[in-house]
Amino acid sequence: MIVGLPRETKSGEQRVGLTPDAVGELVRHRHRVIVESGAGTGIGSADSDYEAAGAEIAPAAPDVWRTAELVVKVKEPQPSERKLLRPDQILFAYLHLAPDPDQAADLLASGAACIAYETVSDPRGGLPLLAPMSRVAGRLAVQAGAWALEKVHGGAGVLIGGVPGVPPARVVIIGGGVVGENAAQIAIGMGADVRVLDIDPEVLGQLDQRFGTGVVTVMSTRAALDSEVIGADLVIGAVLVSGARAPSLVTAEMIRKMRTGSVVVDVAIDQGGCIETSRPTTHAEPTFIRDGVVHYCVANMPGAVPLTATRALSDVTLPRVLSIADQGLDVLRTDPCLRDGLNVYKGRITEPRVAAAIDVPYTDPLVALD
């Protein structure tokens, strides 16, 4: 199969779909790989590194899209890229379609097969291609929050860990999944007063067992959310409903009640956000202030650390890329976990939560593939 690796075009995105080592594995499996010139710049990989791995270098994005049968990306295709999709093509990337009906409409119109990293599952019901970026985003969220709390960036001028005689910042994490657990790890390490809210007692129990007295676990009710958010210096939104738009849990009224200079980091923004006052921002302009509260809502947070993030992502995507390249779409008929990633196929939505979110009919992927 011909595998294409275009350069990412989303603002501030420095990751790349595959490392040179991963490209080398594809070539060893007798696949042809075409890489857009400069695709690996953000991770310090030159065109020559990809050539040494056996790839061909294309001068521009259209040359990659025009030739490739399978396009491997990191972020969702931007409008200019969506125009290049063909009905006989397979797209493999993060798509996050639930809050993005415009992208969904373009992918439907393309007729292509679009497989979303974020809904590929594993036999335990986990999300193996989302997990590594969730770990990165969770750890970055505390870094970003600490930066935004500095007075020069609009924050109250609070040091996360405090100093002797001065209490640390209170960090409230909404959601105890992969993002929340990793955010808690970093916040505890920085000496913060950490609280994690979740609706699942088992999740809270696991966090309590792991972190002990380093974290206060709280059952997430409306009253608890209101109290914890209002009293926080830093709120991290770490809520995920696979494939669906994130529920808006932190209301505008809660934001109005927070102290001036407090910070919210909405990690769920790529799924629409779990904070009512959030709107997507970029690495170039990561924050805005509303009602005195600094909002950090960068939709591709791991793009800030592209070398770490690309290596982590490429490690988990490569086996799936190889399966698709080796077997084509037939692999979706035999691999139910990979089939869970199929969101769009030949003009039909094949992911039920995406279909519900954008209000279009749902087609079972096995029916669509037949």
Side-chain angles (χ1 to χ4, degrees):
M1 185 174 282
I2 304 173
V3 180
L5 193 65
R7 187 171 187 163
E8 297 293 319
T9 60
K10 190 178 180 77
S11 175
E13 185 54 69
Q14 297 294 313
R15 289 172 289 180
V16 62
L18 295 167
T19 63
D21 284 350
V23 165
E25 287 300 310
L26 282 163
V27 172
R28 278 187 282 277
H29 279 245
R30 300 179 182 276
H31 299 295
R32 180 183 171 195
V33 182
I34 302 175
V35 178
E36 181 183 352
S37 181
T41 299
I43 65 167
S45 292
D47 291 350
S48 57
D49 296 318
Y50 282 99
E51 287 181 308
E56 303 168 33
I57 303 300
D63 301 301
V64 176
W65 290 86
R66 185 165 43 244
T67 308
E69 299 167 280
L70 166 62
V71 176
V72 179
K73 281 179 47 58
V74 179
K75 291 304 290 180
E76 71 280 357
Q78 301 304 291
S80 61
E81 295 174 305
R82 301 197 293 261
K83 294 176 182 177
L84 301 173
L85 272 169
R86 305 190 311 268
D88 61 341
Q89 220 161 27
I90 303 169
L91 172 66
F92 197 28
Y94 289 116
L95 298 179
H96 299 294
L97 292 175
D100 194 351
D102 290 342
Q103 183 198 173
D106 287 348
L107 297 187
L108 286 167
S110 75
C114 304
I115 304 171
Y117 292 159
E118 70 271 12
T119 61
V120 172
S121 65
D122 63 27
R124 299 181 301 279
L127 301 172
L129 306 192
L130 188 62
M133 295 304 95
S134 294
R135 294 185 190 104
V136 172
R139 296 177 186 209
L140 274 175
V142 182
Q143 276 185 212
W147 174 87
L149 276 170
E150 295 176 13
K151 193 71 175 180
V152 69
H153 300 131
V158 174
L159 182 65
I160 284 275
V163 293
V166 182
R170 177 167 292 185
V171 177
V172 172
I173 302 166
I174 304 170
V178 178
V179 171
E181 181 181 8
N182 280 269
Q185 178 183 340
I186 299 303
I188 291 166
M190 294 177 74
D193 171 8
V194 182
R195 291 152 186 264
V196 181
L197 290 85
D198 202 280
I199 59 173
D200 188 341
E202 186 174 336
V203 168
L204 296 177
Q206 290 169 350
L207 292 171
D208 188 71
Q209 185 174 29
R210 176 178 177 186
F211 296 120
T213 57
V215 64
V216 175
T217 56
V218 181
M219 179 58 64
S220 186
T221 64
R222 178 58 59 182
L225 265 173
D226 190 77
S227 174
E228 293 295 342
V229 167
I230 291 169
D233 295 295
L234 168 60
V235 173
I236 295 173
V239 178
L240 171 70
V241 180
S242 176
R245 189 180 181 94
S248 185
L249 298 179
V250 177
T251 66
E253 180 62 23
M254 292 178 192
I255 295 294
R256 282 192 289 271
K257 292 178 181 177
M258 291 180 74
R259 291 187 294 271
T260 297
S262 300
V263 173
V264 294
V265 176
D266 196 345
V267 182
I269 193 64
D270 55 6
Q271 285 291 117
C274 63
I275 296 169
E276 188 177 5
T277 50
S278 292
R279 57 173 171 79
T281 60
T282 65
H283 289 292
E285 296 184 39
T287 63
F288 64 91
I289 297 175
R290 176 163 171 180
D291 294 320
V293 176
V294 183
H295 291 60
Y296 183 102
C297 310
V298 176
N300 56 329
M301 287 179 63
V305 286
L307 182 56
T308 297
T310 295
R311 287 179 175 175
L313 180 61
S314 191
D315 285 348
V316 294
T317 57
L318 177 60
R320 281 85 178 179
V321 173
L322 281 168
S323 292
I324 297 169
D326 288 344
Q327 303 176 53
L329 291 177
D330 285 343
V331 70
L332 301 184
R333 295 182 174 89
T334 58
D335 184 340
C337 294
L338 192 52
R339 186 167 65 240
D340 283 342
L342 187 65
N343 280 209
V344 179
Y345 183 67
K346 292 192 180 301
R348 289 179 279 186
I349 293 291
T350 54
E351 210 296 325
R353 290 151 296 196
V354 170
I358 64 175
D359 195 24
V360 300
Y362 162 70
T363 302
D364 184 280
L366 281 175
V367 173
L369 288 164
D370 284 341

